[in-house]
Amino acid sequence: MALLILSKIFGSKNQRELQRLWPLVSKISAFEPELKNLSDEQLRGKTDYFKGRIEQGEELDDLLSEAFAVVREASVRATGMRHFDVQLIGGMILHSGRIAEMKTGEGKTLVATLPSYLNALSGKGVHVVTVNDYLARRDAEWMGQIFSFLGLTTGVVVNSMSSAERYKAYRSDITYGQNNEFGFDYLRDNMKLDAAEMVQRGHNFAVVDEVDSILVDEARTPLIISGPSEKPTETYQLADKLVLKLETDLHYSMDLKSKQVMLSDEGVKSVEGWMELENLYEPKNIELVHHINQALKAHVAMKRDVDYVVRNGQIMIVDEFTGRLMSGRRWSDGLHQAVEAKEGVQVQQENQTLATVTFQNYFRMYKKLSGMTGTADTEAVEFKKIYNLDVVVTPTNCPMVRQDFQDVVYSGERGKFDAVIDEIMELQKKGQPILVGTASIAKSEAVSELLTKRGVAHHVLNAKNHEGEAFIVAQAGRFGGVTISTNMAGRGTDILLGGNPEYLAAEAAGTRDPEDAEYQAQLVHFREVCAEEKQRVLGVGGLHILGTERHESRRIDNQLRGRAGRQGDPGSSRFYVSLEDDLMKRFGGERMQAIMTRVGLKEDEAIEGALVARAIENAQKKVEGFHFDIRKHLLEYDNVMNKQREVIYSQRAAVLRGDDIESLLQELIPDTVEEVIVSRANDKEPPAKWDVAGMLVEFNRNFGLALPVEEWDAKKERGDKHLAQEIFEALRDQALARYEERKQHFGSDRMVKLAQIVILQSFDHFWKDHLSNMDHLKEGIGLRGYGQKNPLQEYQREAYELFADMLSTVKLAVVQNLFIPELPSEDELLQIEQQERDLQRERSQQVKEIHEEVTPSATPGIETVEEPLAEGNRRDRRRQDALARVAPKPSFSQSDYAPTKPTADPQRDNQQRKKNKDAKKARKRR
C-alpha cells in the first residue's frame, strides 16, 4: 500500500525515467535546423568529426544528442523516414544497455539505427540481432541506406554464407544477423586451427530485436556443434515396434504439464516378457529403456502438424513461438530419431557434442547488451535476474485506441470453433478485416476447412505456406479480408489498413526495383487504391484480431493483439477459449471445470467475465513460471560449463595466436615431472617405501629417457628427506635438456609451430570427450537428491574433478607427442599445416546448423541446438593420418609410448592420476 501511495505521488520508476529522457529529445531537435542546411557531403563528414572527438577522449554519451540528430536527418534524406520523438526515447534506452518495450508498428527497426550508429563510432563493431535470416537481410538492406549515407559499412550474416563472407561482414561497422548465426560463429571460431580464419572480432555492443523471443523463448535451447556418433539406428525401429503394443493408462501414463511419458509396472512387465528379459532396468539394458521412453514420447507427446511436419522424407520441427519450420533443426537425445521411426522415414544417426554454449551465456559476453520488443514487461524479472537488463516501457507515438474484449470460454472445442466461424462471417459482412490467430498448423487448417465449407474467402499463413508470408501479412488489413495465421511472433511485417501499396505494385509489375518504370506506375496507382480502402476500413472499426485459443505465454497473445491498433488506428481483439485447449487441460482445467459445472453451461454456450479472465491469466502465469524454472535450471548447470569453456577457449585462443608458446612449454614440462614424482612419493610414508623405480619408468614413458635407478636406491634406503626434491630437479633438468636438444635439431620456429598444432589437437580431442562426460554426469545427477544431496552442488564438485583430470590429460598428451615420436622434416610439417587448413575449410563449408530440442525433465539437460559436422569421423581419421609422423593416434594411453611396453591398465592410470592430484595438493599445502 505504501509503495502504491508513493507511486501516485512521485510516479512509477518507468515514468521517472521517461521524464529524465524527454529534455534530451528537445536537445536533439535543436540541432535539426542547422543540420538541414548542410549538404550531403557535409552531413557525411559528421562521422569523421565524431570519431575525432572520441580520439580526443570524449565519451559516446557526450555525442548522443548531436549523433542522434545526424541519424534522424540522414534517415530523412536516405529513406524518407523521420524518427518520431518517442523513437528517440527508444534509441536512448537501447544505448544505455536496457530493453525498450515498444508497441507493434512503432518502428523498432528504425529505432535501432540510432544506438547502432553512435556505438559504431568507437570502431569496435555493433551486432543487430534478428529472429530470422529474412529480417536480417531486409533490415541490413533497408537501414544500411542510412549508415552508408553517413559513411559507415553494413554487413549481414546469414546461413548460406562462406567463412570469407562472414569475416567481411563482421569487419563492417554494423553487422545484422540471426541469433543462431552469431552463436554458431562463436563456437566455430573456437574450433579453428588458424587465427586468421576466425571470423568474429569480439563482442562489443548488441541490439537484440524481439528480445523476449531470443533471450527468453530461445534460451531453453543451447547451441551445439556436433559430429556423428557410432551408435546404431536399428534400436529405434525395435523400440517403435514395442511401443505400438503398449496401451495408454495400462502400460504407461503421461504428465500433461511436463509432457513426460512413463512406463507403468504393467508396462515394464510386458516389455520384459516380449524381450525375454529378467530385469528391464539392469545396467546392460539402460540403452533399451532410453529408446523405449523416447519412442513413447514420440507417439504420445509429439503431434504431427503441431510439433512437426513431414516433408520430403524428413521430420521438420515447427517453432512453437513463431509457427515457422525450423529447417535443419533436430531434437536431441534420440527424440528426433524416435519421431523418424514413428513416421517411417529414414532414421539418421545421433550426434556427439563437440562444442556448446547457451544463449544466456553467449549474450552475456557482450560488453553492452540491449533489446527491443513489443512485449517484455511480463518477463522483466527474468531479464533483470539473468541478464541484468532493465525494461523501460516507451510511450506510443499516437494514443492506443484498440478495444480488447474479454475472453469467451466454451466447455468444448466444437462449440468454440462454431462461435469463431459465426463471428468471422458476421464481421466480414460489414467489411472489417480479420486476422485469425491459431496455435498450430493443424488448428489453422481446421479453421480454414470450416471457412471453406461456409464459402468464406481467406488466406492461410502457416509453416506449410510461408513462401508468401510477407505479402499475406502485409495485405491482411484490406477491406473484408480474412487471414488465418499461426503465432505472429517475429513476423516483422506491419499490417497496413487498406493494404500495402508496395507489395501490390511489386506483384502487378513483377519486380520491386525502384528504377523500374512499370513498378513506379503501379505504385502510384495502388497508393490511391490503398488510401481509399483505408478510409473504408477505418469506418468499420479497423483490424479485428480473433484468437482461437490462449498461448502458454501471455507475450505471444500480446504480440497477436499488437497487430491491431498500430499508430493510433482503431482496432479490436477477442480470444475464444475452450476447456479442451492444451493450456486449460494442463494448467487451468480443474478450476475452470468447476466454474463451468457450477453455471451448468452446454457445449454451445459461452461464459465471460472477470473471474474467467483471472483463471486464464493464472493458468498462463503457472506455465510461464514453469518455463522460467526450466531456463533458470539450465543456466545454473551451464554456468559450471561456462567457466570451464572460458578457460579452455582463452587458453586455446592464446595458443592459436602463438602467444609465448615457448614459456607455456617451459611450465608444462616441470608440471608433468612433478606429477610423476608426487604420485609415488607419499610424504606420509618413509622414503624407503617410495616407488622410485616406478617414477623412472613413468618418466621414460612420457619423455623417452631411460635413467638408471641405482643411484637413487641408496638414498632411498638411507631415508633422505630431500630425496623427492632431488629427484624432481634431476628429472626436470633431464627433460628440459631433452627439449633443448630436440629444439636445436628441429629448429626453434618449427618446434614452436609443431607444439602449437599438438596443443590445439589435444585441446580439441579431450574437450570433446570432456563434453561427453559432462553430458553423462548431467543425465544422472538428479538422482543424487534421493540421497539427501544437492544435485547442483554434486554436479559442481564432480565437474571440477572431471575438468582437472582433463587438463592433466592434455598436459600429458602434449608432452608425449612432443618427446616420443620422430619429428617431421620441414617439408612434412608444411604439408601437415596445409592439410589442416584444407580440412578446416572443408569443415566450414560442410557445417550445417541443427536446432535440437528436448522436453524439460527432472534432469538438467533441457533443450539443445545442434550443428553437425558432416562426415566428421572420416575427416578426423584423415587429420590423424596427416599427423601420424608427428604423434601416434590421439588415444594418449601411457602404454603406447613406453619403450618397455608395460601392460596397459586404465584403472591403474586413473588411480595414479588421483594419487597425483592428492599428493600435489598436499605438497602445496605444506
Side-chain angles (χ1 to χ4, degrees):
M1 180 60 73
L3 289 174
L4 183 62
I5 295 172
L6 289 173
S7 178
K8 288 183 177 179
I9 298 174
F10 299 105
S12 65
K13 180 181 178 182
N14 198 84
Q15 290 170 335
R16 294 195 300 272
E17 181 59 22
L18 293 176
Q19 288 172 358
R20 186 185 69 83
L21 296 176
W22 275 114
L24 288 175
V25 174
S26 301
K27 193 174 178 181
I28 294 168
S29 298
F31 284 101
E32 197 163 16
E34 174 192 340
L35 296 176
K36 282 187 178 296
N37 293 326
L38 297 180
S39 66
D40 289 354
E41 194 61 36
Q42 289 173 322
L43 188 63
R44 187 175 293 110
K46 285 289 185 180
T47 298
D48 292 332
Y49 166 68
F50 291 141
K51 289 181 177 179
R53 289 174 61 180
I54 292 173
E55 290 176 1
Q56 293 172 10
E58 289 195 55
E59 300 292 334
L60 293 179
D61 290 346
D62 301 328
L63 310 176
L64 187 146
S65 298
E66 190 174 357
F68 275 28
V70 166
V71 175
R72 177 191 252 182
E73 179 61 26
S75 177
V76 172
R77 299 188 190 187
T79 67
M81 297 183 291
R82 180 181 179 275
H83 296 77
F84 299 131
D85 288 350
V86 292
Q87 289 178 311
L88 299 178
I89 293 284
M92 288 182 245
I93 294 168
L94 295 177
H95 170 68
S96 63
R98 291 178 289 180
I99 293 174
E101 181 180 289
M102 304 180 70
K103 299 297 182 185
T104 300
E106 291 295 305
K108 293 188 286 291
T109 304
L110 188 61
V111 169
T113 59
L114 297 164
S116 297
Y117 172 78
L118 177 58
N119 285 269
L121 295 171
S122 66
K124 298 177 182 178
V126 172
H127 294 170
V128 183
V129 186
T130 64
V131 292
N132 58 56
D133 286 350
Y134 161 72
L135 290 178
R137 285 196 190 94
R138 186 202 71 175
D139 294 352
E141 181 181 344
W142 190 14
M143 298 297 105
Q145 299 174 74
I146 300 173
F147 300 129
S148 178
F149 186 92
L150 292 171
L152 296 182
T153 55
T154 307
V156 61
V157 177
V158 293
N159 182 267
S160 57
M161 293 175 64
S162 66
S163 291
E165 291 171 323
R166 290 172 186 270
Y167 182 92
K168 183 179 179 182
Y170 280 114
R171 295 310 178 277
S172 301
D173 295 305
I174 296 102
T175 305
Y176 285 81
Q178 195 244 7
N179 50 311
N180 285 354
E181 296 303 318
F182 287 114
F184 278 131
D185 281 336
Y186 165 72
L187 292 177
R188 277 193 293 258
D189 276 353
N190 285 286
M191 298 175 69
K192 294 288 173 66
L193 296 169
D194 187 342
E197 293 181 359
M198 298 177 73
V199 297
Q200 291 189 342
R201 55 167 176 155
H203 300 83
N204 176 45
F205 174 59
V207 179
V208 183
D209 193 10
E210 302 296 349
V211 65
D212 53 336
S213 177
I214 293 173
L215 298 190
V216 175
D217 298 334
E218 296 276 355
R220 291 159 57 192
T221 57
L223 295 170
I224 292 176
I225 288 183
S226 61
S229 67
E230 299 295 336
K231 291 184 179 179
T233 59
E234 293 79 7
T235 317
Y236 294 104
Q237 283 94 347
L238 172 63
D240 190 71
K241 291 176 182 177
L242 285 174
V243 165
L244 290 174
K245 299 180 180 181
L246 301 177
E247 298 178 19
T248 184
D249 295 331
L250 175 63
H251 294 117
Y252 62 86
S253 60
M254 177 177 173
D255 180 0
L256 288 173
K257 290 186 179 181
S258 63
K259 291 188 176 181
Q260 290 297 298
V261 188
M262 293 153 284
L263 281 173
S264 65
D265 290 342
E266 186 62 33
V268 172
K269 290 179 183 177
S270 298
V271 171
E272 288 174 343
W274 296 329
M275 295 298 295
E276 298 180 356
L277 300 174
E278 291 186 9
N279 183 358
L280 179 61
Y281 289 99
E282 284 184 359
K284 65 180 180 180
N285 299 325
I286 196 67
E287 281 287 319
L288 177 62
V289 174
H290 171 73
H291 284 85
I292 291 174
N293 287 334
Q294 294 298 64
L296 262 177
K297 184 174 178 182
H299 278 273
V300 179
M302 311 307 295
K303 299 177 182 177
R304 184 168 178 167
D305 289 343
V306 176
D307 300 297
Y308 65 91
V309 298
V310 181
R311 178 175 290 182
N312 299 325
Q314 291 186 326
I315 304 298
M316 303 190 75
I317 299 173
V318 177
D319 189 333
E320 65 172 307
F321 298 104
T322 66
R324 284 188 173 87
L325 287 182
M326 300 162 80
S327 179
R329 299 181 178 187
R330 296 176 65 83
W331 287 301
S332 66
D333 207 24
L335 178 59
H336 207 96
Q337 286 80 2
V339 175
E340 288 171 334
K342 166 191 171 183
E343 295 294 343
V345 302
Q346 182 180 357
V347 178
Q348 305 293 330
Q349 278 191 325
E350 284 192 56
N351 293 313
Q352 180 182 6
T353 300
L354 303 180
T356 177
V357 67
T358 59
F359 278 119
Q360 290 103 322
N361 279 319
Y362 173 74
F363 281 105
R364 291 197 300 188
M365 289 193 297
Y366 283 91
K367 295 176 183 175
K368 185 164 65 173
L369 179 64
S370 64
M372 51 190 183
T373 181
T375 49
D377 205 33
T378 56
E379 311 293 341
V381 174
E382 181 168 353
F383 282 123
K384 185 65 178 177
K385 282 186 176 179
I386 303 298
Y387 303 99
N388 195 28
L389 288 172
D390 290 315
V391 176
V392 181
V393 181
T394 308
T396 57
N397 186 48
C398 300
M400 174 67 71
V401 296
R402 185 186 67 234
Q403 187 175 5
D404 296 326
F405 297 106
Q406 286 189 336
D407 293 5
V408 181
V409 181
Y410 288 81
S411 60
E413 197 170 60
R414 181 177 176 181
K416 177 187 73 172
F417 279 118
D418 286 342
V420 166
I421 302 304
D422 290 341
E423 179 167 347
I424 292 173
M425 295 186 67
E426 182 181 342
L427 293 176
Q428 194 192 34
K429 285 179 183 177
K430 67 175 186 177
Q432 186 170 6
I434 307 158
L435 177 64
V436 184
T438 61
S440 67
I441 298 170
K443 294 290 175 63
S444 68
E445 292 178 341
V447 174
S448 175
E449 186 178 344
L450 291 172
L451 287 177
T452 302
K453 288 180 180 179
R454 299 278 194 103
V456 178
H458 60 278
H459 293 286
V460 180
L461 176 58
N462 59 30
K464 291 184 176 180
N465 177 31
H466 62 85
E467 289 80 4
E469 173 182 313
F471 181 83
I472 294 174
V473 175
Q475 307 311 322
R478 301 203 68 181
F479 187 79
V482 178
T483 305
I484 303 170
S485 173
T486 48
N487 299 326
M488 296 299 296
R491 293 291 182 195
T493 305
D494 283 338
I495 298 176
L496 302 181
L497 299 187
N500 188 315
E502 294 181 357
Y503 282 94
L504 291 171
E507 184 184 38
T511 179
R512 203 175 177 181
D513 183 1
E515 305 296 327
D516 185 80
E518 176 65 16
Y519 170 76
Q520 288 298 330
Q522 293 290 348
L523 185 59
V524 171
H525 167 68
F526 280 111
R527 278 175 177 165
E528 295 177 0
V529 171
C530 291
E532 180 183 339
E533 195 166 322
K534 179 178 180 179
Q535 296 306 313
R536 296 176 65 194
V537 173
L538 291 173
V540 295
L543 179 67
H544 179 69
I545 303 297
L546 200 158
T548 58
E549 67 181 273
R550 284 286 192 169
H551 193 271
E552 290 181 349
S553 170
R554 288 172 292 169
R555 288 180 297 102
I556 305 300
D557 293 339
N558 291 338
Q559 286 169 350
L560 178 60
R561 269 196 168 126
R563 294 291 160 180
R566 62 180 298 280
Q567 288 295 325
D569 289 339
S572 56
S573 70
R574 188 194 303 275
F575 280 85
Y576 284 80
V577 180
S578 86
L579 297 186
E580 295 177 355
D581 293 344
D582 288 343
L583 173 69
M584 303 311 296
K585 284 194 292 187
R586 291 175 63 193
F587 290 92
E590 294 179 4
R591 180 173 176 79
M592 290 300 298
Q593 281 283 8
I595 295 172
M596 304 297 272
T597 302
R598 194 159 55 240
V599 297
L601 290 180
K602 298 178 182 178
E603 187 181 58
D604 58 348
E605 293 179 325
I607 184 173
E608 57 182 301
L611 183 63
V612 174
R614 280 200 302 273
I616 294 172
E617 186 175 2
N618 287 337
Q620 289 179 307
K621 285 181 178 178
K622 284 180 184 177
V623 74
E624 286 170 2
F626 177 70
H627 287 153
F628 173 62
D629 288 341
I630 291 170
R631 293 188 291 269
K632 182 182 176 185
H633 192 55
L634 170 66
L635 185 61
E636 287 173 344
Y637 282 83
D638 190 65
N639 282 339
V640 179
M641 272 299 304
N642 193 53
K643 292 175 183 177
Q644 298 179 2
R645 185 187 303 114
E646 288 173 354
V647 171
I648 290 295
Y649 284 178
S650 61
Q651 290 185 3
R652 193 184 187 283
V655 172
L656 199 60
R657 293 191 301 267
D659 293 353
D660 213 2
I661 293 177
E662 181 74 23
S663 297
L664 179 64
L665 292 173
Q666 295 287 351
E667 294 176 6
L668 189 149
I669 292 170
D671 284 349
T672 306
V673 172
E674 184 178 4
E675 287 201 11
V676 167
I677 295 171
V678 297
S679 62
R680 293 167 174 82
N682 191 338
D683 58 353
K684 294 180 181 180
E685 296 178 346
K689 292 187 177 182
W690 292 356
D691 183 12
V692 176
M695 295 179 195
L696 299 182
V697 170
E698 185 73 13
F699 181 73
N700 189 11
R701 285 180 183 149
N702 295 337
F703 294 93
L705 289 170
L707 301 178
V709 70
E710 291 78 16
E711 63 177 292
W712 304 107
D713 280 342
K715 292 185 178 182
K716 185 177 87 167
E717 296 302 326
R718 289 199 304 268
D720 191 335
K721 63 180 180 179
H722 300 297
L723 179 60
Q725 184 64 28
E726 289 182 29
I727 296 175
F728 168 74
E729 291 175 358
L731 298 188
R732 179 199 60 193
D733 293 344
Q734 288 278 355
L736 291 173
R738 166 82 164 166
Y739 173 69
E740 291 297 327
E741 175 188 323
R742 288 173 76 83
K743 188 168 68 171
Q744 290 176 7
H745 172 75
F746 188 54
S748 179
D749 291 342
R750 279 186 290 156
M751 189 69 181
V752 168
K753 184 61 183 176
L754 177 62
Q756 184 184 43
I757 294 174
V758 169
I759 294 171
L760 291 175
Q761 285 248 302
S762 300
F763 268 139
D764 291 348
H765 179 78
F766 290 109
W767 177 245
K768 177 187 69 175
D769 290 345
H770 178 68
L771 291 176
S772 178
N773 292 335
M774 292 289 284
D775 284 341
H776 292 313
L777 173 63
K778 193 186 294 182
E779 283 176 8
I781 203 70
L783 299 175
R784 305 292 175 88
Y786 292 108
Q788 304 302 311
K789 294 181 179 179
N790 185 320
L792 179 59
Q793 291 178 356
E794 290 293 297
Y795 179 76
Q796 291 169 335
R797 179 181 61 80
E798 294 199 23
Y800 172 78
E801 293 176 358
L802 285 173
F803 188 64
D805 284 344
M806 187 209 71
L807 291 179
S808 177
T809 306
V810 167
K811 291 179 182 178
L812 187 63
V814 171
V815 167
Q816 290 175 338
N817 274 298
L818 290 177
F819 279 80
I820 300 300
E822 288 298 320
L823 295 177
S825 66
E826 183 173 2
D827 290 340
E828 288 174 326
L829 181 60
L830 291 173
Q831 183 181 359
I832 292 168
E833 292 176 25
Q834 185 58 46
Q835 287 174 332
E836 287 296 317
R837 282 193 290 270
D838 293 343
L839 288 170
Q840 189 62 53
R841 276 193 291 273
E842 182 183 350
R843 167 187 287 180
S844 300
Q845 290 169 359
Q846 295 191 9
V847 155
K848 181 182 178 184
E849 288 73 24
I850 284 196
H851 198 137
E852 289 204 24
E853 300 178 56
V854 286
T855 301
S857 62
T859 58
I862 311 301
E863 299 179 353
T864 59
V865 177
E866 288 201 0
E867 173 184 78
L869 297 176
E871 303 177 1
N873 291 341
R874 179 175 61 81
R875 288 200 298 278
D876 283 345
R877 283 195 294 273
R878 285 170 51 192
R879 174 185 294 170
Q880 290 161 13
D881 291 343
L883 283 171
R885 291 178 297 277
V886 183
K889 185 177 179 181
S891 63
F892 300 118
S893 171
Q894 294 181 6
S895 61
D896 291 341
Y897 303 94
T900 55
K901 295 287 182 187
T903 304
D905 186 349
Q907 185 176 3
R908 181 204 64 199
D909 291 341
N910 289 333
Q911 291 172 348
Q912 196 63 58
R913 267 199 295 272
K914 190 172 187 309
K915 286 182 182 179
N916 289 356
K917 285 196 305 181
D918 294 342
K920 193 171 183 179
K921 287 178 184 176
R923 190 179 181 86
K924 288 183 177 178
R925 284 197 301 271
R926 189 170 68 251

